[in-house]
Amino acid sequence: MSEASVTAVEGNPPQVKRGEGVAYVYEILRNEIIELKLAPGSPIDETDLSQRFSMSRTPIREALVRLAAEGLISTLTNRTTIVSNIDFLQLGSFFDALTLMYRVTARLAAGNHSEADVAAIRAHQANFSRAVDERDVLAMIATNRDFHIAVAVAGRNKYYTDLFRRLLDEGRRILRLYYHSYDDNLPRQYVVEHEDMIAALIARDVEESDRLAVAHADQIVRQIRSYISADSRSASSLTL
Amino acid sequence: MSEASVTAVEGNPPQVKRGEGVAYVYEILRNEIIELKLAPGSPIDETDLSQRFSMSRTPIREALVRLAAEGLISTLTNRTTIVSNIDFLQLGSFFDALTLMYRVTARLAAGNHSEADVAAIRAHQANFSRAVDERDVLAMIATNRDFHIAVAVAGRNKYYTDLFRRLLDEGRRILRLYYHSYDDNLPRQYVVEHEDMIAALIARDVEESDRLAVAHADQIVRQIRSYISADSRSASSLTL
DNA sequence: AGTAGACTTCATGTCGACAAACAAAATGCA
DNA sequence: TGCATTTTGTTTGTCGACATGAAGTCTACT
């Protein structure tokens, strides 16, 4: 019923102290959900978690409430709570919002960024580039997300940054689902596109930043779409 | 220290049953925060609330966690939690995001709405119009928000609807702060603008819906800005 | 008198336990 | 044998209590 690797007691119960317990559990569970270590739809048992983290159920519960508020888990009243499913029917909405956030954050960043922002963005881009060099797909997904968050932060609009972060994390879940078919050419192209975006941003060229953001978003949407259709094609070939 | 009207025990402890307690407390507190019955910056005492709602502190706490996740309250670890302040420095970001959401939800609604959506939107518009007729400012603020949420729902993008809802509620808080100087002409104009928006939506005219949304947003932003500057002007006249 | 340090007070964070609600197994009846 | 009902079991929702950390108070010392 419960997978040993996930449910097992933490090797080093890292002695979190008063007031940090909830944040600790929240961070770990959040990562496990986004990285699909906890499969969508799988049930979450509070008692299990409380044993795993060597804590009472109370802080566990609060962490779960936070995750539920973010939409990462769904709680059925008086019944079990499960990891939220990836809603493929809403994929159109997702792409739409994602593209819009790419655009507005790029535009704002071009207008509002500071020196420090550029340094942060470049650091993340370096990490992303390294991940591509090392063909570390999981690291690519994570560092790519961090790069775009840094751009959003440079845009100085917390409402956009917030939504963008959620969208990008949801994107991480979807990409994890399909990363096995990752194309070797695309990552290189993403590195180049990121560099172009940085250049336009430094030049404070809002319109060019916007154009590049649209192109980048289209590229990513196309990539995910192709993964999904490839996936469904192989499935349908099985049934014939 | 604690205001009697807010801290007092609920007259009718409405016997909420298992599993509904948290949602009940959450809804009530949320409304009180948005309607400024709980002033920004004022401390929130868990023990007080637990007495007021005749519940243990546990469900109260979960409701507070949800509110904190939404940004409506800020919790200082090991110390008190307070109602979030209205951040006037971020007002520019707020207006920017608000305008964008007006636009995209109007566009999407024009493209995706169904008959039922139109009916719902019209109902909310009727409520808004009635509130204007009755010069009930508080009702106007609330029904106006509901009208735009209905439009967003018709747009069928939960990401936008979610962000929009939060922005509109934050707007309700700001308007409450300034509603004493509410202009008598503007509400009428809003009714007309809403009617125009509905017409464009039914005609599925995306571009016209967009134009109207921009105009509507500009109008509201201008209104809030004038309230604030009027307020600061009277304040500065005091200091001179 | 002013300041540093100990003490008191009190709200929060955490805990273990109990009770309700749901799901599934077991039982009884046609 | 098949279906309805009861019983059992498990997990969640709620409770009351304890421990911890922080703010304010009081005292003592320079």
Side-chain angles (χ1 to χ4, degrees):
Chain A
M1 185 67 78
S2 51
E3 303 171 25
S5 62
V6 172
T7 321
V9 174
E10 296 281 289
N12 276 353
Q15 271 313 356
V16 276
K17 59 167 175 283
R18 188 189 170 81
E20 296 176 3
V22 213
Y24 177 72
V25 174
Y26 168 79
E27 282 299 333
I28 293 199
L29 288 183
R30 185 185 147 75
N31 273 327
E32 290 183 352
I33 292 172
I34 290 172
E35 294 176 359
L36 289 187
K37 285 174 187 166
L38 292 172
S42 64
I44 297 185
D45 188 300
E46 296 176 3
T47 313
D48 281 357
L49 289 178
S50 112
Q51 287 188 342
R52 172 181 165 196
F53 289 106
S54 320
M55 295 168 116
S56 157
R57 267 178 54 227
T58 312
I60 305 285
R61 224 145 184 294
E62 291 193 8
L64 292 183
V65 170
R66 285 181 61 179
L67 290 170
E70 238 181 302
L72 289 174
I73 64 179
S74 311
T75 131
L76 297 316
T77 319
N78 276 325
R79 232 165 311 171
T80 186
T81 87
I82 60 170
V83 179
S84 291
N85 285 303
I86 297 176
D87 189 352
F88 289 96
L89 295 178
Q90 297 242 12
L91 219 53
S93 296
F94 171 75
F95 289 142
D96 192 50
L98 185 68
T99 303
L100 185 64
M101 286 304 109
Y102 269 116
R103 295 183 60 190
V104 293
T105 53
R107 293 183 71 101
L108 287 179
N112 300 335
H113 69 83
S114 70
E115 289 294 324
D117 293 326
V118 176
I121 292 171
R122 281 214 159 107
H124 287 299
Q125 163 70 349
N127 289 338
F128 177 66
S129 182
R130 189 175 331 121
V132 171
D133 286 344
E134 296 170 358
R135 297 169 166 267
D136 183 343
V137 180
L138 266 22
M140 282 172 47
I141 295 175
T143 54
N144 175 64
R145 176 258 196 199
D146 292 339
F147 169 80
H148 288 293
I149 295 280
V151 173
V153 168
R156 308 251 187 291
N157 186 316
K158 70 172 177 181
Y159 302 102
Y160 294 153
T161 308
D162 228 61
L163 174 57
F164 201 21
R165 187 176 66 89
R166 256 187 299 190
L167 290 168
L168 286 170
D169 283 335
E170 185 67 9
R172 283 172 72 186
R173 291 180 86 203
I174 299 175
L175 281 175
R176 290 253 171 182
L177 262 185
Y178 293 108
Y179 84 92
H180 49 75
S181 52
Y182 218 100
D183 186 322
D184 270 330
N185 300 322
L186 281 175
R188 282 263 151 253
Q189 184 177 341
Y190 287 145
V191 173
V192 176
E193 289 185 10
H194 283 183
E195 294 292 349
D196 292 343
M197 292 174 77
I198 294 176
L201 177 144
I202 292 177
R204 299 200 181 274
D205 187 336
V206 174
E207 293 306 325
E208 176 68 5
S209 294
D210 192 351
R211 265 192 300 278
L212 292 170
V214 171
H216 196 61
D218 283 352
Q219 185 62 47
I220 287 175
V221 169
R222 211 161 24 222
Q223 178 189 352
I224 297 179
R225 279 235 159 87
S226 78
Y227 288 168
I228 293 174
S229 64
D231 188 69
S232 59
R233 239 185 290 126
S234 64
S236 58
S237 69
L238 280 172
T239 53
L240 286 181
Chain B
M1 186 64 80
S2 51
E3 303 172 26
S5 62
V6 172
T7 321
V9 173
E10 296 281 288
N12 277 354
Q15 272 313 354
V16 277
K17 60 167 175 283
R18 188 187 170 80
E20 296 176 3
V22 212
Y24 177 72
V25 174
Y26 168 80
E27 283 298 334
I28 292 200
L29 288 182
R30 185 184 148 75
N31 271 327
E32 291 184 353
I33 292 173
I34 290 173
E35 294 176 357
L36 290 187
K37 284 173 186 166
L38 291 172
S42 63
I44 297 185
D45 188 301
E46 296 177 3
T47 313
D48 281 358
L49 289 179
S50 111
Q51 288 189 341
R52 172 181 166 196
F53 290 105
S54 321
M55 295 170 118
S56 157
R57 268 178 53 228
T58 312
I60 305 284
R61 228 146 181 295
E62 291 193 8
L64 292 183
V65 170
R66 284 182 60 181
L67 290 169
E70 239 181 300
L72 289 174
I73 64 179
S74 312
T75 131
L76 297 316
T77 320
N78 272 326
R79 232 165 312 169
T80 186
T81 87
I82 60 170
V83 179
S84 291
N85 285 303
I86 297 176
D87 189 352
F88 289 97
L89 295 179
Q90 298 242 14
L91 219 54
S93 297
F94 171 74
F95 288 142
D96 192 50
L98 184 67
T99 303
L100 185 64
M101 287 304 108
Y102 268 116
R103 295 184 60 191
V104 292
T105 54
R107 292 183 72 103
L108 287 179
N112 300 336
H113 70 83
S114 70
E115 289 294 325
D117 293 325
V118 175
I121 292 171
R122 281 216 160 107
H124 287 299
Q125 164 69 351
N127 289 338
F128 177 66
S129 182
R130 188 174 333 120
V132 171
D133 286 344
E134 296 170 358
R135 297 169 165 267
D136 184 343
V137 180
L138 266 21
M140 283 171 46
I141 295 176
T143 53
N144 175 65
R145 175 259 196 197
D146 292 339
F147 169 80
H148 289 291
I149 295 280
V151 173
V153 168
R156 308 254 187 287
N157 185 315
K158 69 173 177 179
Y159 302 102
Y160 294 153
T161 307
D162 228 60
L163 175 57
F164 201 22
R165 187 177 65 89
R166 255 188 298 189
L167 290 167
L168 285 171
D169 283 335
E170 185 68 8
R172 283 172 73 188
R173 290 180 88 204
I174 299 175
L175 280 176
R176 289 256 171 181
L177 262 185
Y178 293 109
Y179 85 91
H180 49 75
S181 52
Y182 218 100
D183 187 321
D184 270 329
N185 300 322
L186 281 174
R188 283 263 150 251
Q189 185 177 340
Y190 287 145
V191 173
V192 175
E193 288 185 12
H194 283 183
E195 293 293 349
D196 293 344
M197 292 175 77
I198 294 175
L201 176 145
I202 292 176
R204 300 201 182 272
D205 187 336
V206 173
E207 295 306 325
E208 176 68 5
S209 295
D210 193 351
R211 265 191 299 278
L212 292 170
V214 171
H216 196 60
D218 284 351
Q219 186 62 47
I220 287 175
V221 168
R222 209 160 24 221
Q223 180 190 351
I224 297 179
R225 279 234 158 87
S226 78
Y227 289 168
I228 293 174
S229 64
D231 188 69
S232 61
R233 240 186 288 126
S234 63
S236 59
S237 69
L238 279 173
T239 54
L240 288 182

